[in-house]
Amino acid sequence: MSSINDPAVLFQGTTLEGPEIDRVTRTLGDLTDVFSDKDALAAMAADQKVYDVACYFPVADGTTAGLFFGITYIYPGKVGTEYFMTRGHFHQLRDRGEFYHCLEGEGMLILMDEDRQTRAEKMYPGSLHYIPGHTAHRTANTGNSMLVFSAFWPSDAGHDYQSISEKGFSGILVEQNGEPVLASK
Amino acid sequence: MSSINDPAVLFQGTTLEGPEIDRVTRTLGDLTDVFSDKDALAAMAADQKVYDVACYFPVADGTTAGLFFGITYIYPGKVGTEYFMTRGHFHQLRDRGEFYHCLEGEGMLILMDEDRQTRAEKMYPGSLHYIPGHTAHRTANTGNSMLVFSAFWPSDAGHDYQSISEKGFSGILVEQNGEPVLASK
């Protein structure tokens, strides 16, 4: 009777392969509003890669009740004392949650609620993180190798980068005496 | 300033560990309505394990816009020629999607739409499967070792086991000449 098909996508180790995979790279030049130390930033190459993202979007963006999947690869590095990190966002539909699962490396999930209270969770291979709704989230690489994590989120969540671009997070993750510390901005 | 916390849950290899993990086991005795060959079933031990599930529910069941995570471990075995499999369900909110990711072993994701058209996708380590809304889903272990896969789904999806319990899937996955075949029920 009915058919037996191959899977559309392979997620093996830290790679995502398939005909429908969406890939994007963010460089320091794309993230000039993100890092605090503008002098340190100006002294670095604008084409320095900060992170790559590979995504599988099985349904159209904005679809109710569907899910998206992605893998993020953050390079090791710092701008001044601040670790390389993702842009960070609230979901456009504020109540949407998300899961992160660390695959490789060492880092920190930085979370900020709508009252601008910032906290962080340690990321290391196997750490599983639930990001509740109404919570902005970004990730920083605090190690010397790539930080790699997978993410699952609702296909109607959307991204609000604007409010982070304008006001940032209330806390920034910097290196002090060789350790990551969440410091007031 | 704010705190740096450990992750609540660890998902390393095929194990899920943490204080909030929910665990359940299903035996042949729990699944008497599921397998087609009732004579073969009657000759087997009712306490034979068919699958274990470990779940992380970070929000209450039914919460809008949240997500759940689980790992399913299906034992190798057959009832007559039909492979050991999960009960299978539609989501109670029919349009909710789900992701499966195979971690270990060999199996098949069996999908049936609301017109009772059944199809299957091969599962093997790394295979990533998007289960669209309005689609009943179950998984079968076609190998000689445990089939292990992770799943992510919306916390308001719910499970409708009843319609599967009453009418089953239109196709069953049986072994013919040593190969899995999707056969009419």
Side-chain angles (χ1 to χ4, degrees), chain B residues 33-120:
Chain B
D33 54 328
V34 164
F35 294 98
S36 295
D37 188 336
K38 303 301 179 195
D39 292 338
L41 190 62
M44 296 176 76
D47 64 355
Q48 165 68 52
K49 291 180 182 177
V50 180
Y51 59 99
D52 303 317
V53 185
C55 288
Y56 174 38
F57 303 129
V59 294
D61 191 25
T63 300
T64 304
L67 296 170
F68 287 159
F69 173 76
I71 303 180
T72 302
Y73 311 78
I74 310 182
Y75 292 73
K78 290 195 292 287
V79 176
T81 59
E82 195 173 16
Y83 297 98
F84 275 15
M85 61 181 173
T86 60
R87 176 172 283 287
H89 58 270
F90 283 101
H91 288 149
Q92 207 156 354
L93 296 186
R94 281 291 192 277
D95 63 354
R96 270 40 178 179
E98 185 159 353
F99 265 111
Y100 280 180
H101 180 226
C102 184
L103 303 173
E104 209 174 272
E106 202 178 312
M108 210 71 84
L109 167 59
I110 308 168
L111 300 164
M112 182 178 72
D113 66 23
E114 292 185 299
D115 296 326
R116 299 188 56 74
Q117 293 297 308
T118 299
R119 61 191 170 90

Coordinates of all heavy atoms in Angstrom, one line a residue, chain B residues 33-120:
Chain B
D33 N -5.0 -3.3 22.7 CA -5.8 -2.8 21.6 C -4.9 -2.4 20.4 O -5.5 -2.0 19.4 CB -6.6 -1.6 22.1 CG -5.8 -0.5 22.7 OD1 -4.8 -0.8 23.3 OD2 -6.1 0.7 22.6
V34 N -3.6 -2.4 20.6 CA -2.7 -1.8 19.6 C -2.3 -2.7 18.5 O -2.2 -2.4 17.3 CB -1.5 -1.1 20.3 CG1 -0.4 -0.8 19.3 CG2 -2.0 0.2 21.0
F35 N -2.0 -4.0 18.9 CA -1.4 -4.9 17.9 C -2.5 -5.8 17.3 O -3.5 -6.1 17.9 CB -0.4 -5.8 18.6 CG 0.8 -5.0 19.1 CD1 1.0 -4.5 20.4 CD2 1.8 -4.7 18.2 CE1 2.1 -3.8 20.8 CE2 2.9 -3.9 18.6 CZ 3.0 -3.5 19.9
S36 N -2.3 -6.1 16.0 CA -3.3 -6.7 15.2 C -3.5 -8.2 15.5 O -4.6 -8.7 15.5 CB -3.0 -6.6 13.7 OG -3.1 -5.2 13.4
D37 N -2.4 -8.9 15.8 CA -2.4 -10.4 15.9 C -2.7 -10.7 17.3 O -1.8 -10.9 18.2 CB -1.1 -10.9 15.4 CG -1.1 -12.5 15.4 OD1 -1.9 -13.1 16.1 OD2 -0.2 -13.0 14.6
K38 N -4.0 -10.9 17.7 CA -4.4 -11.1 19.1 C -4.0 -12.5 19.6 O -3.7 -12.6 20.8 CB -6.0 -11.0 19.2 CG -6.5 -9.6 18.7 CD -5.9 -8.4 19.4 CE -6.5 -7.1 18.9 NZ -5.7 -5.9 19.4
D39 N -3.9 -13.5 18.7 CA -3.4 -14.8 19.1 C -1.9 -14.7 19.6 O -1.5 -15.3 20.6 CB -3.6 -15.8 18.0 CG -5.1 -16.1 17.8 OD1 -5.9 -15.8 18.7 OD2 -5.4 -16.6 16.6
A40 N -1.1 -14.1 18.7 CA 0.3 -13.9 19.0 C 0.4 -13.1 20.3 O 1.3 -13.5 21.2 CB 1.0 -13.2 17.9
L41 N -0.4 -12.1 20.5 CA -0.3 -11.3 21.7 C -0.7 -12.1 23.0 O 0.0 -12.0 24.0 CB -1.3 -10.1 21.5 CG -1.3 -9.0 22.6 CD1 0.1 -8.3 22.6 CD2 -2.4 -8.0 22.3
A42 N -1.7 -12.9 22.9 CA -2.1 -13.7 24.0 C -1.0 -14.7 24.5 O -1.0 -15.1 25.6 CB -3.4 -14.5 23.6
A43 N -0.2 -15.1 23.5 CA 0.9 -16.0 23.9 C 2.1 -15.4 24.5 O 3.1 -16.1 24.9 CB 1.3 -16.8 22.6
M44 N 2.1 -14.0 24.6 CA 3.3 -13.3 25.1 C 3.0 -12.8 26.5 O 1.9 -12.7 26.9 CB 3.6 -12.1 24.2 CG 4.0 -12.6 22.8 SD 4.3 -11.2 21.6 CE 5.9 -10.6 22.2
A45 N 4.1 -12.5 27.2 CA 4.0 -12.1 28.6 C 3.4 -10.6 28.7 O 3.9 -9.7 28.0 CB 5.4 -12.1 29.3
A46 N 2.4 -10.4 29.5 CA 1.8 -9.1 29.6 C 2.7 -8.1 30.1 O 2.5 -6.9 29.8 CB 0.5 -9.2 30.4
D47 N 3.7 -8.5 30.9 CA 4.6 -7.5 31.5 C 5.8 -7.2 30.6 O 6.8 -6.5 31.1 CB 5.0 -7.9 32.9 CG 5.8 -9.2 32.9 OD1 6.0 -9.8 31.8 OD2 6.3 -9.6 34.0
Q48 N 5.8 -7.8 29.4 CA 6.9 -7.5 28.5 C 6.9 -6.0 28.1 O 5.9 -5.4 27.7 CB 6.7 -8.3 27.2 CG 7.5 -7.8 26.0 CD 9.0 -8.0 26.1 OE1 9.4 -9.1 26.4 NE2 9.9 -7.0 26.0
K49 N 8.0 -5.3 28.4 CA 8.1 -3.9 28.1 C 8.1 -3.6 26.6 O 8.9 -4.3 25.9 CB 9.4 -3.3 28.8 CG 9.3 -3.2 30.3 CD 10.6 -2.6 30.8 CE 10.6 -2.6 32.3 NZ 11.8 -2.0 32.9
V50 N 7.4 -2.6 26.2 CA 7.4 -2.2 24.8 C 8.1 -0.9 24.6 O 8.9 -0.8 23.7 CB 6.0 -2.2 24.2 CG1 6.0 -1.8 22.7 CG2 5.3 -3.5 24.4
Y51 N 7.8 0.0 25.5 CA 8.6 1.3 25.4 C 8.6 2.0 26.7 O 7.7 1.9 27.5 CB 8.1 2.2 24.3 CG 6.7 2.7 24.2 CD1 6.3 3.9 24.7 CD2 5.7 1.9 23.7 CE1 5.0 4.4 24.7 CE2 4.4 2.3 23.6 CZ 4.0 3.5 24.1 OH 2.7 4.0 24.1
D52 N 9.6 2.8 26.9 CA 9.7 3.7 28.1 C 9.7 5.2 27.5 O 10.2 5.4 26.4 CB 11.1 3.5 28.8 CG 11.3 2.1 29.3 OD1 10.3 1.5 29.8 OD2 12.4 1.6 29.1
V53 N 9.2 6.1 28.3 CA 9.3 7.5 27.9 C 9.8 8.3 29.1 O 9.4 8.1 30.2 CB 7.9 8.0 27.5 CG1 8.0 9.5 27.0 CG2 7.3 7.1 26.4
A54 N 10.7 9.3 28.8 CA 11.2 10.2 29.8 C 10.9 11.6 29.3 O 11.2 11.9 28.1 CB 12.6 10.1 30.1
C55 N 10.2 12.4 30.1 CA 9.7 13.7 29.6 C 10.1 14.9 30.5 O 10.2 14.7 31.7 CB 8.2 13.8 29.4 SG 7.6 12.8 28.0
Y56 N 10.3 16.0 29.9 CA 10.5 17.2 30.7 C 9.4 18.2 30.3 O 9.3 18.6 29.2 CB 11.9 17.8 30.4 CG 12.2 19.2 31.0 CD1 11.8 19.5 32.3 CD2 12.9 20.2 30.2 CE1 12.1 20.8 32.8 CE2 13.2 21.4 30.8 CZ 12.8 21.7 32.1 OH 13.1 22.9 32.6
F57 N 8.5 18.5 31.3 CA 7.4 19.4 31.1 C 7.7 20.7 31.9 O 7.3 20.7 33.1 CB 6.1 18.7 31.7 CG 5.8 17.4 31.1 CD1 5.5 16.3 31.9 CD2 5.7 17.2 29.7 CE1 5.1 15.1 31.3 CE2 5.3 16.0 29.1 CZ 5.1 14.9 29.9
P58 N 8.3 21.6 31.3 CA 8.6 22.8 32.1 C 7.5 23.7 32.4 O 7.6 24.6 33.3 CB 9.6 23.6 31.2 CG 9.3 23.1 29.8 CD 8.8 21.7 29.9
V59 N 6.3 23.5 31.8 CA 5.1 24.3 32.1 C 4.0 23.3 32.3 O 4.1 22.1 31.9 CB 4.8 25.3 31.0 CG1 5.9 26.4 30.9 CG2 4.6 24.7 29.6
A60 N 2.8 23.8 32.8 CA 1.7 22.9 33.0 C 1.1 22.4 31.7 O 1.1 23.1 30.7 CB 0.6 23.6 33.8
D61 N 0.6 21.2 31.7 CA 0.0 20.6 30.5 C -1.2 21.5 30.1 O -2.0 22.0 30.9 CB -0.6 19.2 30.8 CG -1.0 18.5 29.6 OD1 -0.5 18.7 28.5 OD2 -1.9 17.6 29.8
G62 N -1.3 21.9 28.8 CA -2.3 22.7 28.3 C -1.9 24.2 28.2 O -2.7 25.0 27.6
T63 N -0.7 24.5 28.7 CA -0.3 25.9 28.6 C -0.1 26.3 27.1 O 0.5 25.6 26.4 CB 1.1 26.1 29.3 OG1 0.9 25.7 30.7 CG2 1.6 27.5 29.2
T64 N -0.7 27.5 26.8 CA -0.6 28.0 25.5 C 0.9 28.5 25.2 O 1.5 29.1 26.1 CB -1.5 29.2 25.3 OG1 -2.8 28.8 25.6 CG2 -1.5 29.7 23.8
A65 N 1.4 28.2 24.1 CA 2.7 28.8 23.6 C 3.9 28.2 24.3 O 5.0 28.6 24.0 CB 2.7 30.3 23.8
G66 N 3.8 27.2 25.2 CA 4.9 26.5 25.7 C 5.3 25.3 24.9 O 4.6 25.0 24.0
L67 N 6.4 24.6 25.4 CA 6.9 23.5 24.7 C 7.2 22.4 25.7 O 7.6 22.6 26.8 CB 8.1 23.8 23.9 CG 8.0 24.8 22.7 CD1 9.4 25.2 22.2 CD2 7.2 24.2 21.6
F68 N 7.1 21.1 25.2 CA 7.5 19.9 26.0 C 8.6 19.2 25.3 O 8.7 19.3 24.0 CB 6.3 19.0 26.2 CG 5.2 19.5 27.1 CD1 3.9 19.0 27.1 CD2 5.5 20.4 28.1 CE1 3.0 19.4 28.0 CE2 4.6 20.9 29.0 CZ 3.3 20.4 28.9
F69 N 9.3 18.4 26.0 CA 10.4 17.6 25.4 C 10.4 16.2 26.0 O 10.1 16.0 27.2 CB 11.8 18.2 25.8 CG 12.9 17.4 25.4 CD1 13.3 17.4 24.1 CD2 13.6 16.6 26.3 CE1 14.4 16.6 23.7 CE2 14.7 15.9 26.0 CZ 15.1 15.8 24.6
G70 N 10.6 15.2 25.2 CA 10.6 13.8 25.7 C 11.6 12.9 24.9 O 11.9 13.3 23.7
I71 N 12.0 11.8 25.5 CA 12.8 10.8 24.8 C 12.0 9.5 24.9 O 11.5 9.2 26.0 CB 14.2 10.6 25.4 CG1 14.9 12.0 25.4 CG2 14.9 9.6 24.7 CD1 16.3 11.9 26.0
T72 N 11.8 8.8 23.8 CA 11.1 7.5 23.8 C 12.1 6.4 23.5 O 13.0 6.6 22.6 CB 10.0 7.5 22.7 OG1 9.1 8.6 23.1 CG2 9.3 6.2 22.7
Y73 N 12.0 5.3 24.2 CA 12.9 4.1 24.0 C 12.1 2.9 23.7 O 11.4 2.4 24.6 CB 13.7 3.9 25.3 CG 14.4 5.1 26.0 CD1 13.6 6.0 26.7 CD2 15.7 5.3 25.9 CE1 14.2 7.1 27.3 CE2 16.3 6.4 26.5 CZ 15.6 7.3 27.2 OH 16.1 8.4 27.8
I74 N 12.1 2.5 22.4 CA 11.2 1.3 22.1 C 12.1 0.1 22.0 O 13.2 0.1 21.4 CB 10.6 1.5 20.7 CG1 9.9 2.9 20.6 CG2 9.6 0.4 20.4 CD1 9.1 3.1 19.3
Y75 N 11.7 -1.0 22.7 CA 12.4 -2.2 22.8 C 12.3 -2.9 21.4 O 11.3 -2.8 20.7 CB 11.8 -3.1 23.9 CG 12.1 -2.5 25.3 CD1 11.4 -1.4 25.7 CD2 13.1 -3.1 26.1 CE1 11.7 -0.9 27.0 CE2 13.3 -2.6 27.4 CZ 12.6 -1.5 27.8 OH 12.9 -0.9 29.0
P76 N 13.3 -3.8 21.1 CA 13.1 -4.6 19.9 C 12.2 -5.7 20.1 O 12.1 -6.3 21.2 CB 14.6 -5.1 19.6 CG 15.2 -5.1 21.0 CD 14.5 -4.0 21.8
G77 N 11.4 -6.1 19.1 CA 10.5 -7.2 19.3 C 9.3 -7.1 18.3 O 9.2 -6.1 17.6
K78 N 8.5 -8.2 18.2 CA 7.4 -8.2 17.3 C 6.2 -8.9 18.0 O 6.5 -9.8 18.9 CB 7.7 -9.0 16.0 CG 8.7 -8.2 15.1 CD 8.7 -8.8 13.7 CE 9.3 -10.2 13.6 NZ 10.8 -10.2 13.8
V79 N 5.0 -8.6 17.6 CA 3.8 -9.4 18.0 C 3.4 -10.0 16.7 O 2.8 -9.3 15.8 CB 2.7 -8.5 18.6 CG1 1.5 -9.3 18.9 CG2 3.3 -7.8 19.9
G80 N 3.6 -11.3 16.6 CA 3.4 -11.9 15.3 C 4.4 -11.3 14.3 O 5.6 -11.3 14.6
T81 N 4.0 -10.7 13.2 CA 4.9 -10.1 12.3 C 5.0 -8.6 12.5 O 5.7 -7.9 11.7 CB 4.5 -10.4 10.8 OG1 3.2 -9.9 10.6 CG2 4.5 -11.9 10.5
E82 N 4.2 -8.0 13.4 CA 4.1 -6.6 13.6 C 5.1 -6.1 14.6 O 5.2 -6.6 15.7 CB 2.7 -6.2 14.1 CG 2.4 -4.7 14.0 CD 0.9 -4.4 14.3 OE1 0.2 -5.3 14.9 OE2 0.4 -3.3 13.9
Y83 N 5.9 -5.1 14.2 CA 7.0 -4.6 15.1 C 6.4 -3.9 16.3 O 5.4 -3.3 16.3 CB 7.8 -3.6 14.3 CG 8.5 -4.2 13.1 CD1 8.0 -4.0 11.8 CD2 9.7 -4.9 13.2 CE1 8.6 -4.5 10.7 CE2 10.3 -5.4 12.1 CZ 9.8 -5.2 10.9 OH 10.4 -5.8 9.8
F84 N 7.2 -4.0 17.4 CA 6.9 -3.3 18.6 C 6.8 -1.8 18.3 O 7.6 -1.3 17.5 CB 8.0 -3.4 19.7 CG 7.8 -4.7 20.6 CD1 7.0 -5.7 20.2 CD2 8.6 -4.8 21.7 CE1 6.8 -6.8 21.0 CE2 8.4 -5.9 22.5 CZ 7.6 -7.0 22.2
M85 N 5.8 -1.1 18.8 CA 5.6 0.3 18.4 C 4.9 1.0 19.6 O 4.4 0.4 20.5 CB 4.7 0.4 17.2 CG 3.4 -0.3 17.3 SD 2.4 -0.2 15.8 CE 1.0 -1.2 16.2
T86 N 4.8 2.3 19.4 CA 4.1 3.2 20.4 C 2.6 3.1 20.1 O 2.2 2.8 19.0 CB 4.6 4.6 20.4 OG1 4.4 5.2 19.1 CG2 6.1 4.7 20.7
R87 N 1.8 3.6 21.0 CA 0.3 3.6 20.9 C -0.1 4.5 19.7 O -0.9 4.0 18.9 CB -0.2 4.2 22.2 CG -1.7 4.3 22.2 CD -2.2 4.7 23.6 NE -2.3 3.5 24.5 CZ -3.2 2.6 24.4 NH1 -4.1 2.6 23.5 NH2 -3.1 1.5 25.2
G88 N 0.5 5.6 19.6 CA 0.1 6.5 18.5 C -1.0 7.4 18.8 O -1.9 7.0 19.6
H89 N -1.0 8.6 18.3 CA -2.1 9.6 18.6 C -2.1 10.7 17.6 O -1.1 11.0 17.0 CB -1.8 10.2 20.0 CG -0.5 10.9 20.2 ND1 0.6 10.2 20.6 CD2 -0.2 12.2 20.0 CE1 1.6 11.1 20.6 NE2 1.2 12.3 20.2
F90 N -3.3 11.3 17.5 CA -3.5 12.6 17.0 C -3.3 13.6 18.1 O -3.4 13.2 19.3 CB -4.9 12.9 16.5 CG -5.2 12.2 15.1 CD1 -5.9 11.1 15.0 CD2 -4.8 12.9 13.9 CE1 -6.2 10.5 13.8 CE2 -5.1 12.3 12.7 CZ -5.8 11.1 12.6
H91 N -2.9 14.8 17.9 CA -3.0 15.8 18.9 C -4.4 16.2 19.1 O -5.2 16.3 18.2 CB -2.1 17.1 18.6 CG -0.7 16.7 18.7 ND1 0.3 17.3 17.9 CD2 0.0 15.9 19.5 CE1 1.5 16.9 18.2 NE2 1.4 16.0 19.2
Q92 N -4.8 16.5 20.4 CA -6.1 16.9 20.7 C -6.4 18.2 20.0 O -7.5 18.4 19.4 CB -6.2 17.1 22.2 CG -7.6 16.9 22.7 CD -7.6 16.5 24.2 OE1 -6.6 16.2 24.8 NE2 -8.8 16.4 24.8
L93 N -5.5 19.2 20.0 CA -5.6 20.3 19.2 C -4.9 19.9 17.9 O -3.7 19.8 17.7 CB -4.9 21.6 19.8 CG -5.5 22.1 21.1 CD1 -4.8 23.4 21.5 CD2 -7.0 22.4 21.0
R94 N -5.8 19.6 16.9 CA -5.4 18.9 15.7 C -4.2 19.5 14.9 O -3.5 18.9 14.2 CB -6.6 18.6 14.8 CG -7.5 17.5 15.2 CD -6.8 16.2 15.0 NE -7.7 15.0 15.1 CZ -8.1 14.5 16.3 NH1 -7.6 15.0 17.4 NH2 -8.9 13.5 16.3
D95 N -4.1 20.9 15.0 CA -3.2 21.5 14.1 C -1.8 21.6 14.6 O -0.8 22.1 13.9 CB -3.7 23.0 13.7 CG -3.8 23.9 14.9 OD1 -3.6 23.4 16.1 OD2 -4.0 25.1 14.8
R96 N -1.5 21.1 15.9 CA -0.2 21.2 16.5 C 0.8 20.3 15.8 O 0.5 19.1 15.6 CB -0.3 20.9 18.0 CG -0.5 22.0 18.9 CD -1.5 23.0 18.4 NE -1.7 24.1 19.4 CZ -2.6 25.1 19.2 NH1 -3.2 25.2 18.1 NH2 -2.7 26.0 20.1
G97 N 2.0 20.8 15.5 CA 3.0 20.0 14.9 C 3.9 19.4 15.9 O 3.7 19.6 17.1
E98 N 4.9 18.6 15.5 CA 5.9 18.0 16.4 C 7.2 17.7 15.7 O 7.1 17.4 14.5 CB 5.3 16.7 17.0 CG 6.1 16.1 18.1 CD 5.3 15.1 19.0 OE1 4.1 15.1 18.9 OE2 5.9 14.5 19.9
F99 N 8.3 17.6 16.4 CA 9.6 17.2 15.8 C 10.0 15.9 16.5 O 9.9 15.8 17.7 CB 10.7 18.2 16.0 CG 10.9 19.2 14.9 CD1 10.6 20.5 15.0 CD2 11.4 18.8 13.7 CE1 10.8 21.4 14.0 CE2 11.6 19.6 12.6 CZ 11.3 21.0 12.8
Y100 N 10.5 14.9 15.7 CA 11.2 13.8 16.2 C 12.6 13.8 15.7 O 12.8 14.1 14.5 CB 10.5 12.5 15.7 CG 9.3 12.1 16.4 CD1 8.6 10.9 16.0 CD2 8.7 12.8 17.5 CE1 7.4 10.5 16.7 CE2 7.6 12.4 18.1 CZ 6.9 11.2 17.7 OH 5.8 10.8 18.4
H101 N 13.5 13.3 16.5 CA 14.9 13.2 16.1 C 15.5 11.9 16.6 O 15.5 11.6 17.8 CB 15.8 14.4 16.7 CG 17.2 14.3 16.3 ND1 18.2 14.5 17.2 CD2 17.8 14.1 15.1 CE1 19.4 14.4 16.6 NE2 19.2 14.2 15.3
C102 N 15.9 11.0 15.6 CA 16.3 9.7 16.0 C 17.8 9.8 16.6 O 18.7 10.4 16.0 CB 16.3 8.8 14.8 SG 16.7 7.1 15.3
L103 N 17.9 9.2 17.7 CA 19.2 9.2 18.4 C 20.0 7.9 18.2 O 21.2 7.9 18.2 CB 19.0 9.5 19.9 CG 18.3 10.7 20.3 CD1 18.0 10.8 21.8 CD2 19.1 12.0 19.8
E104 N 19.3 6.8 18.2 CA 19.9 5.4 18.2 C 18.9 4.4 17.6 O 17.7 4.5 17.9 CB 20.2 5.1 19.7 CG 21.4 4.2 19.9 CD 21.6 4.1 21.4 OE1 22.4 4.9 21.9 OE2 21.1 3.1 22.0
G105 N 19.5 3.4 16.9 CA 18.6 2.3 16.5 C 18.1 2.5 15.1 O 18.5 3.4 14.3
E106 N 17.0 1.8 14.8 CA 16.5 1.7 13.4 C 15.0 1.5 13.5 O 14.5 0.6 14.3 CB 17.1 0.5 12.7 CG 17.1 0.5 11.2 CD 17.8 -0.8 10.8 OE1 18.9 -1.1 11.3 OE2 17.2 -1.5 9.9
G107 N 14.2 2.4 12.8 CA 12.8 2.2 13.0 C 12.0 3.0 11.9 O 12.6 3.3 10.8
M108 N 10.8 3.2 12.2 CA 9.9 3.8 11.2 C 8.9 4.7 11.9 O 8.4 4.4 13.0 CB 9.2 2.7 10.5 CG 8.8 3.0 9.1 SD 10.2 3.0 7.9 CE 10.3 1.3 7.5
L109 N 8.8 5.9 11.4 CA 7.7 6.9 11.9 C 6.5 6.6 11.0 O 6.6 6.8 9.7 CB 8.2 8.3 11.8 CG 7.2 9.4 11.9 CD1 6.5 9.4 13.3 CD2 7.9 10.8 11.7
I110 N 5.4 6.3 11.6 CA 4.2 6.0 10.8 C 3.2 7.1 11.0 O 2.9 7.5 12.1 CB 3.6 4.6 11.3 CG1 4.6 3.5 11.3 CG2 2.4 4.2 10.4 CD1 4.2 2.3 12.0
L111 N 2.8 7.7 9.9 CA 2.0 8.9 9.9 C 0.7 8.6 9.2 O 0.6 8.0 8.1 CB 2.7 10.0 9.1 CG 4.1 10.4 9.7 CD1 4.9 11.2 8.7 CD2 3.9 11.2 11.0
M112 N -0.4 9.1 9.7 CA -1.7 9.0 9.1 C -2.5 10.3 9.1 O -2.6 10.9 10.2 CB -2.5 7.9 9.8 CG -3.9 7.6 9.1 SD -4.9 6.3 9.8 CE -5.4 7.1 11.4
D113 N -2.9 10.7 8.0 CA -3.7 12.0 7.9 C -5.2 11.8 8.3 O -5.6 10.6 8.6 CB -3.5 12.7 6.6 CG -4.1 12.0 5.4 OD1 -5.0 11.1 5.6 OD2 -3.7 12.2 4.3
E114 N -5.9 12.8 8.3 CA -7.3 12.7 8.8 C -8.2 12.0 7.7 O -9.3 11.6 8.1 CB -7.9 14.1 9.2 CG -7.2 14.6 10.4 CD -7.8 15.9 10.9 OE1 -7.7 16.9 10.2 OE2 -8.3 15.9 12.1
D115 N -7.7 11.8 6.5 CA -8.4 11.0 5.5 C -7.9 9.5 5.6 O -8.2 8.7 4.7 CB -8.1 11.5 4.1 CG -8.7 12.9 3.9 OD1 -9.7 13.2 4.5 OD2 -8.1 13.7 3.2
R116 N -7.2 9.2 6.7 CA -6.7 7.8 7.0 C -5.7 7.3 5.9 O -5.6 6.1 5.7 CB -7.9 6.9 7.2 CG -8.7 7.2 8.4 CD -9.8 6.2 8.7 NE -9.2 4.9 9.0 CZ -8.6 4.5 10.1 NH1 -8.4 5.4 11.1 NH2 -8.1 3.3 10.3
Q117 N -5.0 8.2 5.3 CA -3.9 7.9 4.4 C -2.7 7.7 5.2 O -2.3 8.6 6.0 CB -3.6 8.9 3.3 CG -4.8 9.1 2.3 CD -5.0 7.9 1.5 OE1 -4.0 7.4 0.9 NE2 -6.2 7.4 1.4
T118 N -2.1 6.5 5.2 CA -0.9 6.2 6.0 C 0.4 6.2 5.2 O 0.4 5.7 4.0 CB -1.1 4.8 6.7 OG1 -2.2 4.9 7.6 CG2 0.1 4.5 7.6
R119 N 1.4 6.7 5.7 CA 2.8 6.7 5.1 C 3.8 6.5 6.2 O 3.4 6.6 7.4 CB 3.0 8.0 4.3 CG 3.0 9.2 5.1 CD 3.0 10.5 4.2 NE 2.8 11.7 5.0 CZ 3.7 12.4 5.6 NH1 5.0 12.1 5.4 NH2 3.4 13.5 6.3
A120 N 5.0 6.3 5.8 CA 6.1 6.1 6.8 C 7.4 6.8 6.4 O 7.6 7.0 5.2 CB 6.3 4.6 7.1

